[in-house]
Amino acid sequence: MIDHATAEPPVPDLRRMNHPLPGVVGVFAASTFPFAFSVAGGDTASALAAGCPVVVKAHDGHPHTSELSQKIIQSALPDPALLGLVRGIDAGRRLARHPAVAAVGFTGSIPGGKAIQALIDERPGPIPFYGELGSVNPVAVLPSARRDGLAEGFAASLTLGVGQFCTNPGLLFVPGGTGLPESVAEAVTATTGGPMLTERIRDGFLDGVARLGKLTPLAGGLAGEGAFAVPPQVFTTDLATFAADLPGIAEECFGPAALVVTYDDPAELPAVLDRLEGSLTATIHASDPEEARRVADSLLRKAGRLIWNGWPTGVAVRWAMHHGGPWPASTAAAHTSVGAAAIRRWLVPTAYQDWPAGLLPPELRDDNPLGVPRRVDGVLA
Amino acid sequence: MIDHATAEPPVPDLRRMNHPLPGVVGVFAASTFPFAFSVAGGDTASALAAGCPVVVKAHDGHPHTSELSQKIIQSALPDPALLGLVRGIDAGRRLARHPAVAAVGFTGSIPGGKAIQALIDERPGPIPFYGELGSVNPVAVLPSARRDGLAEGFAASLTLGVGQFCTNPGLLFVPGGTGLPESVAEAVTATTGGPMLTERIRDGFLDGVARLGKLTPLAGGLAGEGAFAVPPQVFTTDLATFAADLPGIAEECFGPAALVVTYDDPAELPAVLDRLEGSLTATIHASDPEEARRVADSLLRKAGRLIWNGWPTGVAVRWAMHHGGPWPASTAAAHTSVGAAAIRRWLVPTAYQDWPAGLLPPELRDDNPLGVPRRVDGVLA
């Protein structure tokens, strides 16, 4: 951004660009993504790309992977000290409160995010906390939706990675009397779960399933083999019962579990969707966009990514990706931990007023030696 | 942002744009700016421009101005309910904790900002707090600086608005043995203060002056007339004494008070500047940019706006303006409450995946009917 000085009104020359946050970025590793969101992954990569040193609090679910990841990344860095690693709950506490830490990133559970937020709230000065946490990821199937493959697609997305995606679909709204719940039951019965990543995740899943146990079981898959193996499970209820039990009934059960909510009239959906907590994603299945307009308006305020006739698991690292959403999906809904925009979390602007050309960063010099795109006197150039 | 789908690798169509935060913006009015940062002003204007309804907690220092401002702004809004007004400490508490409030803005004192932050920390889910708070605004005069008019410029900036600017210069580093401290003394002695805006601001100023009283008084102006009138006052010390008493000695004294720190060797400045807390601005006076390089590198990490051969009071509402800085200058150093970028505080992105054209916002349709600048498949268009 460059605004040249003007005489009328008298305004100085002003130029602004981003610099790395003046400090260390603390990253809390996720249990669920040993590569995509732990020592390696979007949080660390975007912070290093911004120019910040990073200290990762390793997750105790994969200590060796963490250490090997650190060594491999360090070998590609100009200075290995740019990536530190600490272990254990006490080290995590000290990291979140350390005066040199300028921001913290975490992609994991709601309780984990709340614990980190509480540590940060104790600091004498606030720092940003970019947590991408729990998400129930509602999917609304409208009457005009194509039905073939729908139940199988849902079951595949629900059970991908034994359901250990923050974007797997935990809430499916379907029109009653259409045979869709029965198709979903058939598809889920044909699935096989498998081992969850840690004992704690397995226990959390079983607690969540017990909580849903007061509802009608719709289907269950096979547990599969291995330690901490669990079977996919789906429950069902109708829209009125669901609405009466909000918000607790819609809490995320992390793993391959979902709730199928049947409705009679799609016009009743928006008022119920308006009462959901925030999610990372929301999905509509329909063939008629006009039929979906009111449901889409509701979901726009409840999720950071809206999906049409697809499934929410899987996120592409692209310019336009947004992986965030209203609380509890995220602690900072304006930001994303996936995609090119993830770097923005670790940057702060500086404005230079009447600054001499010799001290200006090259990006802000009149001759633009780096040829970067800029807004000059209000016009993109 | 538009990323069209690709077959290899298989990636869906993704489009992202900003929408207003799904909720109300709470604005806490400043005592010091009845127009620029209260009911009217940058916080309210940027939030309304983003598309968010606003509720302002009026400052009890100017209740009638607040009410009249609300009426005038409401008369220009499509719906007067877009701008609400509440009064009193209890209403402020309820505003910061209200579930419908999605973000809070405040441009005022550090204690006020800490109190609002504490209320927000009590919320079950976090929301962003954009506070622009205290700032000591260091000014480093280097040996190569032109001396004519310098002392007068400093005295005028220090006493502008009886010093009630968050950007007035409270800390002046000058080379010793140059006659500059004497010129500053002469210029400040010629000034006249005046009434501060409220009794509380006056009392805070007198407390701050008492705290500085252990240092050597350099000069004082006249108090001027009116209730709550105070005289400008300047103290002095040398760099070693200053460094030994950090951080307390560099705390902001809000009003027309400053500390002149004399140094012998400019090479000693960076290590001391590195230990300052964050400020909104930092200023260098010099005629030789190379002499200023190391001081500039230190100040870059301490302030959001760097000024060359000027004075920090006064901020221009421009594209490139940045009015923010490291804590305690700001609670969110990546953001500004002045300038075009102020709107970003109240926006959150939504990504649309494989979304039908009929439901896409016009900004994201392939034919770009509004002709807005966009990044399409990674290229600015």
Side-chain angles (χ1 to χ4, degrees), chain A residues 327-368:
Chain A
W327 172 265
S330 163
T331 60
H335 290 275
T336 179
S337 66
V338 180
I343 196 173
R344 289 196 196 149
R345 298 174 294 168
W346 323 116
L347 297 171
V348 286
T350 302
Y352 299 86
Q353 179 171 325
D354 293 331
W355 206 246
L359 292 181
L360 275 176
E363 292 86 345
L364 292 179
R365 286 183 202 150
D366 274 336
D367 59 353
N368 194 10

Short mmCIF file of all heavy atoms in Angstrom, two decimals, chain A residues 327-368:
data_model
loop_
_atom_site.label_atom_id
_atom_site.label_comp_id
_atom_site.label_asym_id
_atom_site.label_seq_id
_atom_site.Cartn_x
_atom_site.Cartn_y
_atom_site.Cartn_z
N TRP A 327 -17.08 -19.91 16.62
CA TRP A 327 -16.82 -20.73 17.80
C TRP A 327 -17.91 -21.78 17.97
O TRP A 327 -19.06 -21.45 17.76
CB TRP A 327 -16.77 -19.83 19.05
CG TRP A 327 -16.71 -20.59 20.33
CD1 TRP A 327 -17.77 -20.93 21.13
CD2 TRP A 327 -15.54 -21.13 20.96
NE1 TRP A 327 -17.33 -21.65 22.22
CE2 TRP A 327 -15.96 -21.78 22.13
CE3 TRP A 327 -14.19 -21.13 20.64
CZ2 TRP A 327 -15.08 -22.43 22.99
CZ3 TRP A 327 -13.31 -21.77 21.49
CH2 TRP A 327 -13.76 -22.42 22.65
N PRO A 328 -17.60 -23.05 18.34
CA PRO A 328 -16.29 -23.56 18.77
C PRO A 328 -15.44 -24.11 17.62
O PRO A 328 -14.42 -24.73 17.90
CB PRO A 328 -16.67 -24.67 19.73
CG PRO A 328 -17.95 -25.23 19.17
CD PRO A 328 -18.67 -24.05 18.56
N ALA A 329 -15.87 -23.91 16.38
CA ALA A 329 -15.04 -24.40 15.28
C ALA A 329 -13.68 -23.73 15.31
O ALA A 329 -12.67 -24.32 14.93
CB ALA A 329 -15.74 -24.13 13.94
N SER A 330 -13.64 -22.46 15.76
CA SER A 330 -12.40 -21.70 15.72
C SER A 330 -12.42 -20.62 16.78
O SER A 330 -13.48 -20.10 17.14
CB SER A 330 -12.27 -21.07 14.32
OG SER A 330 -11.34 -20.04 14.32
N THR A 331 -11.23 -20.29 17.29
CA THR A 331 -11.12 -19.18 18.24
C THR A 331 -11.00 -17.84 17.53
O THR A 331 -11.08 -16.79 18.15
CB THR A 331 -9.87 -19.33 19.12
OG1 THR A 331 -8.72 -19.33 18.28
CG2 THR A 331 -9.90 -20.61 19.93
N ALA A 332 -10.76 -17.86 16.22
CA ALA A 332 -10.53 -16.64 15.45
C ALA A 332 -11.11 -16.85 14.06
O ALA A 332 -10.41 -17.25 13.14
CB ALA A 332 -9.03 -16.33 15.39
N ALA A 333 -12.42 -16.58 13.95
CA ALA A 333 -13.17 -16.99 12.76
C ALA A 333 -12.68 -16.32 11.48
O ALA A 333 -12.97 -16.78 10.38
CB ALA A 333 -14.65 -16.71 12.96
N ALA A 334 -11.91 -15.24 11.61
CA ALA A 334 -11.43 -14.55 10.42
C ALA A 334 -10.23 -15.24 9.80
O ALA A 334 -9.77 -14.84 8.74
CB ALA A 334 -11.07 -13.10 10.76
N HIS A 335 -9.72 -16.27 10.46
CA HIS A 335 -8.47 -16.88 10.01
C HIS A 335 -8.64 -18.34 9.66
O HIS A 335 -9.62 -18.98 10.03
CB HIS A 335 -7.39 -16.68 11.08
CG HIS A 335 -6.98 -15.25 11.19
ND1 HIS A 335 -6.03 -14.70 10.40
CD2 HIS A 335 -7.43 -14.26 11.99
CE1 HIS A 335 -5.89 -13.41 10.70
NE2 HIS A 335 -6.73 -13.12 11.66
N THR A 336 -7.63 -18.87 8.94
CA THR A 336 -7.64 -20.25 8.48
C THR A 336 -6.29 -20.88 8.77
O THR A 336 -5.26 -20.21 8.69
CB THR A 336 -7.95 -20.32 6.97
OG1 THR A 336 -7.92 -21.70 6.56
CG2 THR A 336 -6.94 -19.54 6.13
N SER A 337 -6.30 -22.18 9.11
CA SER A 337 -5.04 -22.89 9.29
C SER A 337 -4.67 -23.71 8.05
O SER A 337 -3.65 -24.36 8.03
CB SER A 337 -5.10 -23.81 10.53
OG SER A 337 -6.03 -24.84 10.34
N VAL A 338 -5.53 -23.67 7.04
CA VAL A 338 -5.27 -24.40 5.78
C VAL A 338 -5.38 -23.42 4.63
O VAL A 338 -6.30 -22.62 4.57
CB VAL A 338 -6.28 -25.55 5.58
CG1 VAL A 338 -5.99 -26.28 4.27
CG2 VAL A 338 -6.26 -26.52 6.74
N GLY A 339 -4.43 -23.51 3.68
CA GLY A 339 -4.49 -22.66 2.49
C GLY A 339 -3.55 -21.48 2.59
O GLY A 339 -2.94 -21.22 3.64
N ALA A 340 -3.43 -20.76 1.49
CA ALA A 340 -2.46 -19.68 1.41
C ALA A 340 -2.70 -18.59 2.45
O ALA A 340 -1.76 -17.95 2.94
CB ALA A 340 -2.48 -19.06 0.00
N ALA A 341 -3.96 -18.36 2.82
CA ALA A 341 -4.26 -17.28 3.76
C ALA A 341 -3.80 -17.60 5.18
O ALA A 341 -3.82 -16.72 6.05
CB ALA A 341 -5.77 -16.98 3.76
N ALA A 342 -3.34 -18.84 5.44
CA ALA A 342 -2.88 -19.21 6.79
C ALA A 342 -1.72 -18.34 7.24
O ALA A 342 -1.53 -18.10 8.44
CB ALA A 342 -2.48 -20.69 6.82
N ILE A 343 -0.93 -17.83 6.31
CA ILE A 343 0.23 -17.02 6.65
C ILE A 343 -0.17 -15.70 7.34
O ILE A 343 0.59 -15.14 8.13
CB ILE A 343 1.08 -16.74 5.38
CG1 ILE A 343 2.48 -16.24 5.76
CG2 ILE A 343 0.38 -15.77 4.46
CD1 ILE A 343 3.41 -16.12 4.55
N ARG A 344 -1.38 -15.23 7.06
CA ARG A 344 -1.80 -13.93 7.61
C ARG A 344 -1.82 -13.91 9.13
O ARG A 344 -1.77 -12.84 9.75
CB ARG A 344 -3.22 -13.59 7.13
CG ARG A 344 -3.22 -13.25 5.67
CD ARG A 344 -4.51 -12.54 5.30
NE ARG A 344 -4.65 -12.58 3.85
CZ ARG A 344 -5.79 -12.62 3.20
NH1 ARG A 344 -6.93 -12.61 3.89
NH2 ARG A 344 -5.83 -12.66 1.92
N ARG A 345 -1.94 -15.08 9.75
CA ARG A 345 -2.01 -15.12 11.21
C ARG A 345 -0.73 -14.65 11.88
O ARG A 345 -0.73 -14.24 13.02
CB ARG A 345 -2.31 -16.57 11.66
CG ARG A 345 -3.65 -17.06 11.16
CD ARG A 345 -3.85 -18.53 11.48
NE ARG A 345 -2.90 -19.37 10.78
CZ ARG A 345 -2.69 -20.65 11.03
NH1 ARG A 345 -3.36 -21.24 12.00
NH2 ARG A 345 -1.83 -21.35 10.34
N TRP A 346 0.38 -14.74 11.16
CA TRP A 346 1.69 -14.49 11.77
C TRP A 346 2.32 -13.20 11.27
O TRP A 346 3.52 -12.99 11.41
CB TRP A 346 2.62 -15.68 11.49
CG TRP A 346 1.92 -17.00 11.52
CD1 TRP A 346 1.76 -17.85 10.47
CD2 TRP A 346 1.26 -17.63 12.64
NE1 TRP A 346 1.05 -18.97 10.86
CE2 TRP A 346 0.74 -18.86 12.19
CE3 TRP A 346 1.06 -17.26 13.98
CZ2 TRP A 346 0.03 -19.73 13.03
CZ3 TRP A 346 0.35 -18.12 14.80
CH2 TRP A 346 -0.15 -19.33 14.33
N LEU A 347 1.52 -12.32 10.68
CA LEU A 347 2.05 -11.07 10.11
C LEU A 347 1.40 -9.86 10.78
O LEU A 347 0.22 -9.90 11.13
CB LEU A 347 1.75 -11.01 8.60
CG LEU A 347 2.43 -12.10 7.76
CD1 LEU A 347 1.88 -12.07 6.33
CD2 LEU A 347 3.94 -11.92 7.74
N VAL A 348 2.18 -8.80 10.96
CA VAL A 348 1.63 -7.52 11.43
C VAL A 348 2.14 -6.42 10.51
O VAL A 348 3.27 -6.46 10.04
CB VAL A 348 2.03 -7.19 12.89
CG1 VAL A 348 1.26 -8.05 13.87
CG2 VAL A 348 3.52 -7.33 13.10
N PRO A 349 1.29 -5.42 10.28
CA PRO A 349 1.71 -4.34 9.37
C PRO A 349 2.54 -3.27 10.07
O PRO A 349 2.43 -3.06 11.27
CB PRO A 349 0.38 -3.74 8.89
CG PRO A 349 -0.66 -4.21 9.85
CD PRO A 349 -0.10 -5.28 10.73
N THR A 350 3.36 -2.61 9.28
CA THR A 350 4.05 -1.39 9.70
C THR A 350 3.73 -0.32 8.66
O THR A 350 3.80 -0.59 7.46
CB THR A 350 5.57 -1.59 9.76
OG1 THR A 350 5.86 -2.66 10.65
CG2 THR A 350 6.27 -0.33 10.25
N ALA A 351 3.40 0.87 9.15
CA ALA A 351 3.22 2.02 8.24
C ALA A 351 4.46 2.90 8.34
O ALA A 351 4.97 3.14 9.43
CB ALA A 351 1.97 2.80 8.62
N TYR A 352 4.96 3.35 7.18
CA TYR A 352 6.13 4.23 7.11
C TYR A 352 5.67 5.60 6.65
O TYR A 352 5.08 5.73 5.57
CB TYR A 352 7.15 3.66 6.12
CG TYR A 352 7.68 2.30 6.48
CD1 TYR A 352 7.00 1.14 6.11
CD2 TYR A 352 8.86 2.16 7.21
CE1 TYR A 352 7.49 -0.12 6.44
CE2 TYR A 352 9.35 0.90 7.54
CZ TYR A 352 8.66 -0.23 7.16
OH TYR A 352 9.15 -1.47 7.49
N GLN A 353 5.93 6.61 7.46
CA GLN A 353 5.45 7.96 7.15
C GLN A 353 6.64 8.84 6.76
O GLN A 353 7.55 9.03 7.57
CB GLN A 353 4.72 8.53 8.37
CG GLN A 353 4.19 9.93 8.18
CD GLN A 353 3.28 10.36 9.33
OE1 GLN A 353 2.55 9.54 9.89
NE2 GLN A 353 3.32 11.63 9.67
N ASP A 354 6.63 9.34 5.53
CA ASP A 354 7.70 10.21 5.02
C ASP A 354 9.08 9.54 5.17
O ASP A 354 10.09 10.22 5.40
CB ASP A 354 7.69 11.57 5.75
CG ASP A 354 6.46 12.39 5.42
OD1 ASP A 354 5.91 12.23 4.31
OD2 ASP A 354 6.03 13.18 6.28
N TRP A 355 9.09 8.23 5.05
CA TRP A 355 10.29 7.44 5.34
C TRP A 355 11.28 7.56 4.16
O TRP A 355 10.85 7.54 3.01
CB TRP A 355 9.88 5.99 5.55
CG TRP A 355 10.80 5.18 6.42
CD1 TRP A 355 11.56 4.12 6.03
CD2 TRP A 355 11.02 5.34 7.83
NE1 TRP A 355 12.24 3.61 7.11
CE2 TRP A 355 11.94 4.34 8.22
CE3 TRP A 355 10.55 6.23 8.79
CZ2 TRP A 355 12.39 4.20 9.54
CZ3 TRP A 355 10.99 6.11 10.09
CH2 TRP A 355 11.91 5.10 10.46
N PRO A 356 12.58 7.68 4.42
CA PRO A 356 13.53 7.83 3.32
C PRO A 356 13.61 6.56 2.47
O PRO A 356 13.57 5.44 3.02
CB PRO A 356 14.86 8.10 4.02
CG PRO A 356 14.70 7.63 5.42
CD PRO A 356 13.24 7.73 5.75
N ALA A 357 13.74 6.71 1.16
CA ALA A 357 13.75 5.57 0.24
C ALA A 357 14.82 4.56 0.62
O ALA A 357 14.62 3.35 0.53
CB ALA A 357 13.95 6.05 -1.19
N GLY A 358 15.97 5.06 1.11
CA GLY A 358 17.07 4.17 1.43
C GLY A 358 16.78 3.23 2.59
O GLY A 358 17.44 2.20 2.72
N LEU A 359 15.82 3.57 3.43
CA LEU A 359 15.46 2.70 4.56
C LEU A 359 14.16 1.94 4.34
O LEU A 359 13.76 1.13 5.17
CB LEU A 359 15.35 3.53 5.85
CG LEU A 359 16.64 4.14 6.41
CD1 LEU A 359 16.35 4.91 7.69
CD2 LEU A 359 17.70 3.08 6.66
N LEU A 360 13.48 2.24 3.22
CA LEU A 360 12.21 1.54 2.95
C LEU A 360 12.50 0.10 2.51
O LEU A 360 13.47 -0.14 1.80
CB LEU A 360 11.44 2.23 1.82
CG LEU A 360 10.56 3.41 2.16
CD1 LEU A 360 9.98 3.98 0.87
CD2 LEU A 360 9.43 3.03 3.12
N PRO A 361 11.63 -0.86 2.88
CA PRO A 361 11.74 -2.20 2.28
C PRO A 361 11.55 -2.07 0.76
O PRO A 361 10.79 -1.20 0.30
CB PRO A 361 10.58 -2.98 2.91
CG PRO A 361 10.10 -2.16 4.06
CD PRO A 361 10.49 -0.74 3.79
N PRO A 362 12.22 -2.91 -0.03
CA PRO A 362 12.10 -2.80 -1.49
C PRO A 362 10.65 -2.87 -1.97
O PRO A 362 10.30 -2.22 -2.98
CB PRO A 362 12.92 -3.99 -2.04
CG PRO A 362 13.44 -4.74 -0.85
CD PRO A 362 13.17 -3.96 0.38
N GLU A 363 9.81 -3.61 -1.25
CA GLU A 363 8.40 -3.73 -1.66
C GLU A 363 7.69 -2.38 -1.70
O GLU A 363 6.66 -2.25 -2.36
CB GLU A 363 7.65 -4.65 -0.68
CG GLU A 363 8.06 -6.12 -0.72
CD GLU A 363 9.25 -6.45 0.17
OE1 GLU A 363 9.96 -5.51 0.60
OE2 GLU A 363 9.47 -7.63 0.43
N LEU A 364 8.20 -1.40 -0.95
CA LEU A 364 7.49 -0.12 -0.84
C LEU A 364 8.20 1.01 -1.58
O LEU A 364 7.78 2.17 -1.49
CB LEU A 364 7.33 0.25 0.64
CG LEU A 364 6.38 -0.65 1.44
CD1 LEU A 364 6.31 -0.20 2.89
CD2 LEU A 364 4.98 -0.65 0.83
N ARG A 365 9.28 0.70 -2.31
CA ARG A 365 9.97 1.77 -3.04
C ARG A 365 9.20 2.11 -4.31
O ARG A 365 8.59 1.25 -4.94
CB ARG A 365 11.39 1.31 -3.39
CG ARG A 365 12.28 1.33 -2.15
CD ARG A 365 13.71 0.96 -2.45
NE ARG A 365 14.32 0.50 -1.20
CZ ARG A 365 15.29 -0.40 -1.11
NH1 ARG A 365 15.82 -0.92 -2.21
NH2 ARG A 365 15.75 -0.78 0.05
N ASP A 366 9.30 3.36 -4.70
CA ASP A 366 8.54 3.81 -5.87
C ASP A 366 8.83 2.97 -7.11
O ASP A 366 7.92 2.68 -7.89
CB ASP A 366 8.84 5.30 -6.16
CG ASP A 366 7.94 6.21 -5.34
OD1 ASP A 366 6.84 5.76 -4.95
OD2 ASP A 366 8.34 7.37 -5.09
N ASP A 367 10.10 2.56 -7.29
CA ASP A 367 10.43 1.83 -8.52
C ASP A 367 10.04 0.36 -8.47
O ASP A 367 10.22 -0.36 -9.45
CB ASP A 367 11.92 1.99 -8.86
CG ASP A 367 12.82 1.48 -7.73
OD1 ASP A 367 12.29 1.13 -6.65
OD2 ASP A 367 14.04 1.43 -7.92
N ASN A 368 9.52 -0.13 -7.31
CA ASN A 368 9.02 -1.50 -7.17
C ASN A 368 9.98 -2.53 -7.77
O ASN A 368 9.62 -3.28 -8.68
CB ASN A 368 7.63 -1.60 -7.84
CG ASN A 368 6.90 -2.90 -7.45
OD1 ASN A 368 7.33 -3.62 -6.54
ND2 ASN A 368 5.80 -3.19 -8.13
#
